[in-house]
Amino acid sequence: MVRARGGAKRVTGALRRAAGAAAGGAAALGLLAGCAGGPTSDARAGATTLAQMETADLRERFPNGSVEAADGGEIVYRIAIADAAAQDMAEARAGGYGAYLAGRHAEVESDFGAAARLFDRVLEENPEDPRLTRRAFLANVHAGRFERALDLAARIDAQSSIGLGLATLTQAAADLKAGDFAAAAATADASERTGLARYAAPLMTAWGLAGVGQADAALETLREIDGDGGFGNLVTLHSALILRRAGRVEEALETLAPKTLESETIEDAAARLPVRTARAYARTLLEDGRPAPEVLALLRAYDAANPGVTVIGRDIATLEADGALDPLVVDPRAGVADGLYHLASGVRRQADMIALAYGRLAAYLDPEMELARLLVAEILEGRNRHAEAIDELERIPAASDYGWSARLAVVDNLIRLDRDGQAEETLEAMAGERPDDLEALMKLGYLMRLRERFEEGVAVYARVLERIDAVEDEHWLVYYYHGITLERTDRWAEAEEAFLTALDLKPGDPYVLNYLGYSWVDKGLHIERAQEMIREAVAQRQNDGYIVDSLGWAYYKLGDYDEAVRHLERAVQLRPQDPVINDHLGDAYWKVGRRAEARFQWDRVLTLDPEDDLVDTVADKLERGLVDGNAAAGE
């Protein structure tokens, strides 16, 4: 059977990487707890500095504790963290600095709820420690525990000569939530202007001013961030929203109107707007008395230029059915929440913890803001906090604009938690709700491939194909994945047809070229054509170990063993943990007379969790060498 390239076998590598990350986390925990027998000496050298820093930090916080440096720079704590020292976590948390260590570990693991509770506990013994207060505040914000975060925010500003911008803004958010817009404006205006607070503070101040009827002062405040940091679109949108709140619709429309280029229509120009700005522009046009067909034309042009934007499609359907759209956001709380989401999403990739804090703050201000919850869930998922991500996503109503996306995201997290039954049940329900939709079934097919349930995968992708009335280029992926499941269930003729169809729909795709080319090589079919296909794939993906391996194996099948060795050595460099690639290299070494190196590679294969049939084959090679009947698959 051909190894799935880009399909199921890649999952094994991903799982190995996940296991490696878990092992790395355990090693880090061992260092924090001062365990013997931890990581390698290279890792220990860097960790000793961390350990020494932690020791000094703990001594300062807990002068009466028994914290001491041991020989070799390791740390011995009276209470060690559970998994590292084989002690019960409850015992580890018993003392103040035990709770502090456990809280720090919870932070590393992104378990913000546990970190918040533990730091709160430490603060009971050290209520005047400003650094602990800040750490506890941030943990509570990251966990979405704003009642406690607000108490700590007030203490931070009272204790520190240099305020923490987020703490001040959290207090301003509480004023906004309570409807005290004047207090919110004053509090936000007093915030320091560092980090993301540089943009969030004027935004909050402006909306507080707008809430008490000072639209011109609000607009002037927003100009503090006009064009700075790439947030010009934010200023445009919120200036228009504030004008709309003040009843100045014509000015709002002028602010939102896109700038047209020479010989460009207004529809073409509007298609370049950010989604939220385009939606606001459409609504302001309607409020200004423009006819619905004119606005529909604009939205349809936007949809054509930016396909797949669900909320635009919803607006089109609503306007067609009702002749109207839901009103603009004009409430200061919702306005600030929208702005905070905009800021958080802008820094998501560079600083996800900052994005999490501001995303949480947006959801606190406007619990119905689904985009903020999606952002928070995405960050939590990225930090492997899948249960918490699901909790956030399930707060989004299924019937909302983002309900479908939220349910698919829930499935992703269920899969990561190995709760396959719930994932399948959800996807089947979603597939039933939308008989013409492919998305839910495609994700179900992914789950079948992920778990190597290829027989069931064949049936799922057949169901997907039944829903396609007219095959278009975008459907190439369905045929590719269907081909993988067919190949893995020994239905080669059907698989080959599916791969060829995928190539017709997307000529030159490197993964289809590689999978089909490798399959032909492995079966001894169309070797020269297969080699050309794999060369084309390698030219596009030079650092993909699977594709480089395919080229090496094609040379092997053609009897050019020297060239095979050259490519297979590179493939092993790119994918050193893949047992099949290492087996291929062993065979190639044997063919060029490098017998000792061949045996070394085969020995290595047995350490890489190979499949059972490969274990038997390699064991035979180690005993008898490469002979007829025990060469790598397909030889």
Side-chain angles (χ1 to χ4, degrees):
M1 180 179 293
V2 174
R3 178 166 54 108
R5 294 171 173 270
K9 279 298 175 182
R10 292 200 174 191
V11 173
T12 304
L15 291 175
R16 289 197 189 108
R17 287 193 297 276
L29 179 57
L31 285 167
L32 285 177
C35 296
T40 63
S41 57
D42 288 342
R44 190 182 300 277
T48 300
T49 302
L50 172 63
Q52 291 167 344
M53 291 169 63
E54 291 284 358
T55 302
D57 200 28
L58 286 167
R59 282 185 176 138
E60 182 177 342
R61 282 173 169 70
F62 311 106
N64 297 322
S66 56
V67 181
E68 60 183 83
D71 291 340
E74 292 185 342
I75 298 175
V76 177
Y77 296 137
R78 188 186 66 184
I79 298 175
I81 295 178
D83 290 340
Q87 289 182 254
D88 183 80
M89 183 63 84
E91 180 185 352
R93 293 172 177 173
Y97 52 85
Y100 175 76
L101 278 177
R104 291 295 298 268
H105 175 61
E107 278 185 322
V108 171
E109 295 297 310
S110 302
D111 188 351
F112 304 115
R117 291 188 295 273
L118 288 161
F119 290 139
D120 285 348
R121 184 183 206 169
V122 179
L123 272 174
E124 292 175 6
E125 300 179 16
N126 302 269
E128 304 303 319
D129 188 321
R131 286 183 293 173
L132 277 174
T133 303
R134 286 186 180 212
R135 191 176 290 278
F137 164 74
L138 289 171
N140 277 281
V141 169
H142 290 142
R145 302 173 64 196
F146 278 95
E147 184 175 349
R148 175 59 173 161
L150 280 165
D151 173 58
L152 295 169
R155 292 164 61 182
I156 286 171
D157 282 346
Q159 294 170 354
S160 176
S161 60
I162 302 176
L164 180 63
L166 183 61
T168 308
L169 296 178
T170 300
Q171 293 174 284
D175 292 333
L176 280 169
K177 199 172 178 70
D180 191 344
F181 302 134
T187 302
D189 193 44
S191 171
E192 64 170 357
R193 301 296 206 265
T194 59
L196 210 57
R198 177 181 179 184
Y199 313 103
L203 176 81
M204 274 195 175
T205 303
W207 272 108
L209 292 168
V212 294
Q214 299 183 38
D216 289 329
L219 296 173
E220 184 64 30
T221 301
L222 276 181
R223 292 190 186 102
E224 286 186 37
I225 56 175
D226 193 4
D228 188 13
F231 293 118
N233 289 326
L234 173 71
V235 175
T236 297
L237 175 61
H238 284 263
S239 295
L241 293 176
I242 288 171
L243 287 165
R244 172 61 190 85
R245 177 181 173 82
R248 295 154 63 173
V249 176
E250 289 186 9
E251 290 178 75
L253 189 59
E254 183 180 345
T255 299
L256 290 168
K259 306 297 186 290
T260 56
L261 303 175
E262 188 177 350
S263 72
E264 185 180 47
T265 66
I266 190 67
E267 289 83 6
D268 291 337
R272 298 196 308 272
L273 294 172
V275 175
R276 293 198 299 285
T277 305
R279 298 183 79 202
Y281 182 51
R283 284 158 172 76
T284 308
L285 285 170
L286 290 171
E287 290 183 40
D288 194 47
R290 303 294 178 86
E294 179 183 330
V295 179
L296 264 175
L298 183 143
L299 289 173
R300 286 173 179 149
Y302 192 96
D303 188 51
N306 306 277
V309 181
T310 304
V311 289
I312 296 294
R314 290 280 185 92
D315 282 351
I316 291 171
T318 300
L319 192 53
E320 287 175 337
D322 304 335
L325 294 172
D326 54 292
L328 284 171
V329 173
V330 292
D331 179 80
R333 286 159 288 230
V336 171
D338 179 271
L340 293 178
Y341 163 76
H342 189 124
L343 293 171
S345 60
V347 300
R348 159 74 178 92
R349 295 190 182 279
Q350 298 90 346
D352 67 336
M353 292 298 289
I354 295 174
L356 177 60
Y358 280 86
R360 288 286 200 192
L361 193 56
Y364 164 71
L365 267 172
D366 184 2
E368 296 182 2
M369 190 184 186
E370 296 152 5
L371 282 172
R373 295 204 180 279
L374 283 171
L375 177 65
V376 167
E378 179 186 340
I379 294 169
L380 292 171
E381 179 182 355
R383 288 181 162 264
N384 295 320
R385 305 307 303 180
H386 302 293
E388 291 97 321
I390 290 171
D391 288 342
E392 262 329 288
L393 293 164
E394 288 183 339
R395 297 186 187 191
I396 299 174
S400 76
D401 286 343
Y402 300 99
W404 187 263
S405 296
R407 292 166 74 189
L408 289 172
V410 166
V411 168
D412 289 334
N413 284 280
L414 288 171
I415 291 171
R416 293 292 299 274
L417 290 171
D418 293 329
R419 290 158 61 179
D420 292 1
Q422 289 175 264
E424 289 179 55
E425 183 179 345
T426 301
L427 291 171
E428 287 288 7
M430 294 175 73
E433 291 169 24
R434 296 188 180 182
D436 297 327
D437 188 82
L438 307 184
E439 202 167 9
L441 284 180
M442 285 294 285
K443 194 170 287 291
L444 183 58
Y446 160 75
L447 177 57
M448 297 301 104
R449 289 186 295 111
L450 181 70
R451 304 303 187 213
E452 301 193 8
R453 294 163 57 181
F454 297 113
E455 194 69 51
E456 294 166 271
V458 169
V460 170
Y461 288 115
R463 290 168 61 191
V464 176
L465 290 169
E466 288 173 2
R467 295 188 174 200
I468 299 174
D469 293 327
V471 176
E472 299 179 7
D473 292 349
E474 66 188 46
H475 297 129
W476 72 273
L477 201 57
V478 181
Y479 286 94
Y480 174 52
Y481 289 150
H482 194 211
I484 289 174
T485 57
L486 288 165
E487 184 274 323
R488 295 287 286 179
T489 52
D490 295 323
R491 305 177 200 183
W492 173 244
E494 296 171 81
E496 184 179 44
E497 182 179 355
F499 290 136
L500 289 170
T501 302
L503 270 184
D504 286 341
L505 297 173
K506 192 176 183 185
D509 180 82
Y511 297 106
V512 184
L513 286 170
N514 179 63
Y515 205 120
L516 179 57
Y518 179 86
S519 300
W520 276 343
V521 167
D522 211 56
K523 296 176 183 299
L525 303 171
H526 318 298
I527 299 295
E528 291 185 2
R529 182 182 174 192
Q531 192 177 38
E532 291 174 6
M533 292 167 62
I534 296 169
R535 280 202 197 99
E536 184 180 348
V538 170
Q540 298 179 60
R541 296 290 185 273
Q542 296 180 21
N543 293 319
D544 188 311
Y546 292 116
I547 295 178
V548 175
D549 170 59
S550 296
L551 182 59
W553 196 237
Y555 279 112
Y556 183 97
K557 296 292 288 187
L558 289 169
D560 190 344
Y561 302 120
D562 289 326
E563 195 67 13
V565 165
R566 186 170 72 86
H567 290 287
L568 291 171
E569 284 180 334
R570 174 161 167 71
V572 166
Q573 288 178 343
L574 293 168
R575 287 281 178 181
Q577 302 302 315
D578 188 280
V580 175
I581 297 177
N582 279 274
D583 182 42
H584 284 174
L585 180 56
D587 287 12
Y589 277 154
W590 187 274
K591 287 291 190 179
V592 295
R594 296 163 64 175
R595 303 295 173 88
E597 290 166 279
R599 292 186 182 279
F600 174 85
Q601 291 302 136
W602 294 330
D603 266 326
R604 178 166 169 71
V605 168
L606 298 179
T607 71
L608 299 176
D609 190 27
E611 293 186 356
D612 292 342
D613 57 347
L614 184 55
V615 171
D616 295 338
T617 300
V618 168
D620 188 56
K621 290 177 189 177
L622 288 168
E623 181 179 345
R624 300 192 295 147
L626 186 63
V627 297
D628 290 343
N630 70 6
E635 186 175 349

